[in-house]
């Protein structure tokens, strides 16, 4: 490998914490100077006396046909010393070398080695790779088991955890455990599995952790060293074998702008130029503002080429292919690929090759399955050298596409984020079709960590001199935002630990197991403990700040302050009563003058005068707010939420993100007359005056005139002749009267309060408020400290044990009972509800197909917009499921487990019940696809997961001795396990 | 409450005292579901309209649910099963058991557990004496007798059942394995309740007590659980000592031996009387014998049995009051 193109990213050792033990012998230093830098560091457990690095003349367990990078040889040196190592490097850097060395070493020593990866598909691929190299390799995933007696076992982390709970003999023979993609630990749902299996790993085994670049690798290694009482090395490198260039492609523009060059220098001028080239889409396109606009889905105007088409054309012309285009939804992915329909990127020879590979791959499918629309539609696209890769594809197609891509027969691949994890499948160019990502509730900028992960696919080692990243930007973005995204640091590795009943029961079941012990050893606790000194320092500085604020006459000032707060809250109460839709709807007539509250709540949290800032405007119309829940129609009009469109004077400004911001300002100030939508709560009062205003308000002048009329009204009647709530609006509620009386009493108090007249009262109040805020902050920090010094999750653990006791899963002495033993076996679905269902005998009554269909509710979490209600028998079962789930949730709530009963019940979705029923009945897959309008891949994944659940239920039924149910479950497995759904992976 | 006929000669007064104690005990436990006890082929009443699950010890014959064993009918929601009384040990996954090696076979030891089959402890389910994680070799197989030989007492955990119903054992950590310098006692399995802990270390007496779920109870001198890390360094010595005849390990102080015997006899008394054996009850019986100055060999006499019965009745009464 040429040394010139590699850039030294050696981190200076002085930035390292003092306890760092830098072990750099001569050879490393030379490498550092010339080649790639890496940081090597060791975490020792407390009271550990490091052994002198043993001088050993053992021949290496494995020779590589190429020169190792310094980080690889550093890591391998640690392995040779028999010590654990964490390797943190970019995806393409070549971490696999370390893993395969560890495997070779173990095989040589006649020890077992386990390799775990987060994803089944990845396990399959790794199995194939290792099998070719080492032959004594087995595979265990939820779907397949091949040669479980082999010395090297590839498995998913979930399987490893269940082995540890069950106490497999493998755990007694394993010398090395390799955790690939260990940064998955921060996954909110599955991350806890990594923590469990690391904590429970045999004390004498050693680890290899492979992770993407994480800034807190040291922290992780410290944790491993502490939990396992063994040294853990860290080898960290930022190095990329092929440097990257980052470009921006502005929407509607024509060219690429180099923003970050291969020396990772940010070119601000070029970035600005690119933004200037951004062709603004139609201003009236309001959608843009709320971020729902998705470029590409809106195909350019007739005859015009879409941006994506232009970009791909440019890439091909400049020979930047192969290219991966990342987008953030499956639908978008497909839509974008469709726009490429005119493009042909493969030669005739290549077309034939695609066809041959494709045909031989789908050969194992039945004829019916070959006719599936997804299968038959994709071939023409593939032949043209264009591919799609997302989780909605049939697994087999996904694999065909991966193979074609590796063979270079796909030049242009549209993929979702999942393609960025795992096996080495680099391209020359990576394109981000969007810079914003929907993360469940809103669109946000891509994080730098995500950017790093995905851009890691750019640049093929040894082929390309540099990798190219292109960012398609369709809205203004601040250089700072871009800079932090493109050049920011990787996401740190944080614990996502949480408790589950299955975990508790498994821990309670074994003599040595103790959930508290697990909690104490968790990474979560470790991180919490670590944060304490920092928090304490914060508290101290805040306290000093608090004490430095000295206020004269503090007592009486505080009194006054509290009065103001009370006054405000009362005022708010009154407004709330008056402006309940019930009372105010009849008065929200168009053209009525209205007084709005325009207190600026983001800049100045509270004003201290009892006068609010307000403005006047004219009502245009009111709207009912559509809430997301289904039962909207059943609501009475009085209960719904309303917003009001008001014409008023506004300040229009643009904030950093390029979003327009409209803010109402007092009518006498400068600003544009604009119609804004305000919630009812922002209305202060309604005037009895109804203005005469022209219907057509599009011209600016008409609006200006309308506001002038309002001003005239105000000059004549400064109070705006408000409607009297009692007389005009006929509000007869007793609480209204009571509140008004209290308000009057308060007003009297204000006048009597002597401090109100003191000079500088507002300044003083501001200081006081600052102090109050400080006090609140200190209080909350102290609470965090208290909760982290105590065992994390302690209360939740107690509550959850209470639930288990209440439901009869464990006895009062924490001995696992029969029901608990059943729940122990169920790890792939909600264990409590499923166990309760089993013991209620529902499974026994239902037919096999119905049983399978019912189980689908446990694995399907997606809400389908147009799913038909399942037939009556199924619906009946589903209602029983919901009842059981509600009961389980309510018991949890009673026991003080934080849970939202309704959303828990709603999390069981009946949407694919019919489809699964049909599948269990023996329908063809294409028939099933007609019933359920979901992605093929999603349905297949659901059915495979159901099979996993069924297998666990079989074990459970066996343990309670119910043979009939066991037989029934076996039958269920045989009914769903067929054809395309369980077609073997091409990698096996 | 299943009370066994005592096989001891009792004097008239002892007999009266004993019967009174038994009466009191029975009155305290009368609320138990004595009507739910069944014998083989008894029909178990179930609501046939409603779904029910039939568990262990039941079978459906001609639409009727019959018991296939003698015992007590238990119901968990819709599940109906029969819990046996005074039968052989019925293992459950995760149980801690004590057993005696009866055969060294290929890659495995057969262990007598009072189950209807022998337990199987695979060589691979045992921690190697050198503490190294590795695959077992044929050399290890040849050296199996260095680990356990016939008649050794071992402690293990029930791992799972094979398809043929045989029982797989495992030794999860260093505290499982060979038990030495102590006494093995056998009681009826039903006298041992499953609990969170079956390993007990009586610190005041320096005694280890392992109450196996299969009714085998080990009383022995306390052994520090060896740190597997430390063994790494001295594995050579370890190998020698474990293969040597064990001269140096024969010395146990007399006092310890007496304590072991005293605890052993306490367990025997409890077993004779049919009382549940827990650490708490055992220690109470031991203390009772000490406070009454009863010699170890007198503990098995009639008088002490009566005293223990009376004490137990009193203990349960006060417990009830609380």
């Amino acid at each position: 490998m040429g040394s010139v193109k590699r850039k030294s990213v050696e981190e200076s050792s002085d930035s390292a914490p003092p306890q760092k033990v830098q072990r750099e012998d001569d050879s490393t230093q030379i490498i550092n100077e010339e080649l790639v830098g890496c940081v090597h560091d060791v975490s020792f457990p407390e009271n550990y006396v490091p052994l002198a690095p043993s001088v050993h003349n053992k021949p290496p367990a494995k020779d590589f046909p190429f020169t190792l990078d310094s980080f690889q040889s550093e890591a391998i040196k640690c392995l040779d010393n028999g010590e654990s190592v964490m390797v943190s490097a970019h995806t393409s850097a070549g971490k696999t070398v370390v893993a395969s060395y560890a495997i070779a070493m173990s095989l040589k020593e006649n020890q077992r080695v386990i390799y775990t990866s987060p994803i089944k598909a990845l396990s399959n691929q790794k199995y194939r790779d290792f099998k070719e190299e080492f032959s004594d390799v087995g595979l265990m995933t939820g779907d397949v088991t091949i040669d479980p007696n082999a010395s090297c076992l590839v498995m998913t982390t979930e399987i490893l955890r269940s082995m540890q709970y069950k106490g497999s003999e493998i755990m007694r023979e394993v010398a090395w455990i390799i955790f690939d993609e260990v940064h998955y630990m921060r996954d909110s749902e599955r991350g806890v599995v990594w923590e469990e299996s690391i904590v429970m790993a045999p004390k004498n085994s050693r680890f290899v952790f492979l992770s993407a670049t994480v800034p807190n690798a040291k922290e992780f290694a410290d944790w491993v060293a502490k939990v396992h009482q063994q040294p853990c090395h860290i080898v960290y490198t930022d190095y990329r074998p092929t440097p990257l260039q980052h470009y921006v492609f502005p929407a509607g523009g024509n060219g690429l702008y180099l923003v970050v060059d291969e020396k990772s220098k940010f070119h601000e001028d070029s970035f600005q130029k690119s933004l200037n080239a951004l062709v603004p889409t139609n201003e009236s396109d309001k959608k843009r503002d709320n971020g729902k606009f998705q470029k590409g889905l809106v195909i350019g105007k007739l005859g015009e080429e879409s941006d994506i088409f232009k970009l791909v054309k440019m890439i091909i012309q400049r020979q930047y292919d192969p290219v991966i285009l990342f987008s953030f939804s499956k639908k978008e992915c497909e839509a974008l690929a469709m726009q490429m329909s005119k493009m042909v990127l493969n030669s005739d020879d290549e077309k034939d090759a695609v066809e041959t590979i494709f045909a031989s791959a789908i050969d194992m499918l039945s004829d019916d399955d070959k006719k599936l629309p997804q299968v038959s539609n994709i071939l023409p696209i593939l032949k043209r050298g264009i591919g799609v890769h997302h989780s909605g594809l049939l697994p087999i197609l996904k694999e065909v596409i991966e193979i074609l891509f590796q063979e270079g027969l796909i030049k242009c691949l549209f993929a979702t984020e999942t393609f960025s994890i795992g096996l080495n499948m680099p391209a020359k160019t990576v394109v981000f079709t969007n810079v914003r990502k929907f993360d469940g509730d809103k669109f946000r900028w891509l994080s730098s960590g995500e950017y790093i992960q995905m851009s890691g696919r750019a640049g093929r080692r040894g082929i390309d001199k540099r990798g190219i990243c292109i960012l398609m930007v369709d809205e203004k973005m601040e250089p700072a935002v871009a800079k932090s995204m493109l050049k920011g640091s990787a996401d740190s590795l944080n614990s996502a630990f949480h408790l589950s009943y299955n975990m508790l029961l498994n821990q309670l079941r074994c003599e040595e197991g103790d959930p508290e012990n697990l909690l104490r050893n968790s990474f979560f606790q470790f991180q919490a403990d670590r944060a304490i000194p920092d928090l304490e320092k914060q508290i101290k500085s805040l306290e000093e700040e608090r004490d430095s604020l000295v206020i004269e006459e503090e007592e009486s000032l505080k009194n006054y302050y509290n009065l103001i707060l009370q006054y405000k809250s009362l005022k708010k109460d009154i407004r709330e009563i008056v402006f309940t839709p019930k009372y105010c709807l009849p008065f929200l007539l168009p053209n009525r003058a209205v007084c709005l509250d325009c207190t600026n709540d983001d800049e100045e949290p509270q004003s201290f005068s009892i006068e609010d800032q307000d403005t006047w405007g004219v009502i245009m119309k009111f709207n009912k707010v559509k809430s997301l829940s289904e039962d909207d129609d059943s609501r009475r009009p009085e209960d719904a939420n309303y917003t009001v469109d008001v014409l008023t004077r506004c300040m229009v400004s643009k904030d950093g993100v390029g979003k327009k911001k409209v803010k109402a300002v007092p009518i006498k100030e400068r600003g544009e007359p604009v119609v804004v939508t305000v919630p009812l709560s922002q209305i202060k009062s309604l005037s009895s005056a109804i203005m005469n205003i022209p219907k057509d308000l599009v011209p600016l002048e008409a609006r200006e005139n309308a506001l002038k009329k309002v001003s005239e009204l105000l000059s004549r009647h400064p109070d705006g002749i408000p409607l009297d709530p009692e007389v005009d609006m006929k509000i007869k509620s007793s609480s209204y009267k009571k509140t008004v009386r209290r308000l009057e009493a308060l007003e009297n108090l204000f006048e009597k309060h002597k401090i109100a007249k003191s000079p500088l009262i507002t300044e003083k109040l501001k200081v006081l408020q600052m102090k109050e805020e400080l006090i609140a902050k200190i209080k909350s920090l102290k609470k965090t400290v208290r909760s982290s010094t105590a065992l994390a999750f302690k209360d939740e653990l107690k509550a959850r044990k209470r639930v288990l006791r209440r439901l009869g899963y464990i006895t009062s002495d924490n001995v696992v009972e029969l029901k608990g033993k059943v729940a122990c076996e169920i790890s792939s679905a909600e264990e409590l509800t499923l166990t309760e269902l089993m013991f209620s005998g529902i499974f026994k009554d239902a037919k096999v197909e119905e049983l399978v269909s019912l189980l689908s509710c446990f694995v399907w979490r997606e809400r389908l917009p147009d799913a038909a209600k399942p037939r009556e028998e199924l619906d009946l079962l589903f209602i029983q499921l919901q009842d059981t789930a509600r009961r389980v949730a309510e018991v949890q709530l009673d026991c003080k487990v934080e849970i939202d009963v309704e959303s828990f019940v709603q999390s069981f979705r009946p949407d694919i019940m019919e489809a699964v029923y049909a599948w269990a009945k023996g329908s063809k897959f294409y028939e099933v696809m007609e019933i359920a309008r979901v992605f093929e891949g999603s349905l297949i994944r659901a059915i495979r997961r159901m099979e996993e659940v069924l297998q666990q239920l079989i074990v459970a039924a066996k343990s309670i001795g119910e043979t009939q149910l066991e037989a029934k479950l076996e039958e269920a497995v045989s009914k769903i396990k067929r054809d395309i759904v369980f077609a073997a992976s091409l990698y096996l | 409450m299943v009370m066994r006929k005592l096989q001891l000669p009792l004097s008239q007064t002892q007999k009266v005292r004993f019967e009174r104690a038994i009466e009191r005990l029975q009155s305290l436990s009368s609320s138990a579901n004595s009507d739910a006890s069944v014998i083989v082929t008894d029909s178990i009443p179930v609501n046939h309209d409603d779904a029910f699950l039939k568990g262990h010890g039941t079978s459906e014959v001609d639409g009727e649910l019959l018991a296939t064993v003698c015992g007590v009918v238990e119901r968990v929601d819709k599940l109906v099963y029969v819990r046996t009384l005074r039968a052989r040990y019925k293992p459950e996954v995760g149980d801690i058991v004590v057993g005696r090696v009866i055969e060294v076979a290929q890659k495995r030891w057969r262990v007598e557990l009072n189950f209807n089959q022998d337990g199987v402890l695979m060589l691979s389910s045992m921690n190697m004496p050198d503490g190294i994680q590795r695959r077992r070799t044929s050399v290890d197989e040849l050296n199996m007798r260095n680990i356990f030989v016939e008649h050794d007492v071992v402690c293990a955990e029930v791992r799972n059942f094979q398809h043929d119903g045989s029982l797989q054992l495992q030794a999860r950590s260093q505290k499982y394995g060979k038990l030495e310098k102590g006494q093995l006692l056998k009681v009826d399995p039903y006298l041992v309740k499953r609990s969170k802990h079956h390993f007990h270390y009586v610190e005041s007496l320096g005694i280890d007590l392992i109450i196996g779920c299969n009714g085998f109870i080990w009383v022995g001198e306390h052994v520090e659980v060896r740190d597997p890390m430390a063994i790494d360094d001295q594995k050579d010595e370890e190998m020698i000592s474990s293969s040597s005849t064990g001269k140096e390990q024969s010395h146990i102080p007399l006092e310890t031996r007496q304590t072991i015997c005293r605890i052993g006899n306490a367990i025997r008394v409890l077993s004779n009387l049919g009382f549940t054996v827990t650490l708490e009850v055992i220690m109470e019986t031991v203390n009772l014998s000490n406070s009454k100055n009863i010699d170890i060999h007198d503990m098995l006499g009639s008088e002490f049995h009566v005293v223990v019965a009376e004490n137990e009745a009193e203990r349960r009464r006060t417990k009830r009051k609380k």
Side-chain angles (χ1 to χ4, degrees), chain A residues 199-219:
Chain A
V199 171
M200 290 189 300
K203 293 289 163 244
N204 277 0
S205 55
R206 297 284 177 270
F207 308 92
V208 178
F209 302 103
L210 307 179
S211 132
T213 48
V214 287
N216 61 340
K218 170 82 180 156
E219 190 178 24

Side-chain angles (χ1 to χ4, degrees), chain A residues 8 111 129 182 203 273-274 311 369 400 411 464 467 587 728 742 827 836 845:
Chain A
S8 172
Q111 292 169 320
D129 288 359
V182 77
K203 293 289 163 244
K273 255 187 239 163
S274 76
L311 179 62
D369 290 338
V400 172
K411 306 288 193 303
D464 302 320
F587 297 93
D728 298 329
R742 281 181 58 197
S827 58
E836 288 297 313
D845 274 346

Side-chain angles (χ1 to χ4, degrees), chain A residues 145-165:
Chain A
T145 305
I146 301 168
D147 197 7
N149 252 327
S151 296
C152 170
L153 285 175
V154 178
M155 58 178 81
T156 52
T157 317
E158 272 82 359
I159 300 279
L160 173 65
R161 177 184 59 167
S162 91
M163 272 187 175
Q164 287 167 333
Y165 277 133

Side-chain angles (χ1 to χ4, degrees), chain A residues 127 625 765 782:
Chain A
Y127 166 73
V625 176
L765 279 170
K782 275 192 173 154

Side-chain angles (χ1 to χ4, degrees), chain A residues 149 151 165 167 174 204 821, chain B residues 78 92 131 133 135 170 172:
Chain A
N149 252 327
S151 296
Y165 277 133
V174 62
N204 277 0
K821 286 192 174 154
Chain B
K78 297 278 170 66
E92 278 178 33
Q133 300 264 340
R135 303 207 74 168
Q170 65 169 344
R172 243 184 222 272

Side-chain angles (χ1 to χ4, degrees), chain B residues 127-132 146-147 174 226 231 235 238-239 242:
Chain B
N127 287 303
M128 295 309 285
D130 54 8
I132 292 179
N146 284 347
I147 305 177
Q174 295 292 336
R226 293 162 300 175
I231 289 168
K235 63 181 171 194
E238 195 75 28
M239 289 299 261
S242 61

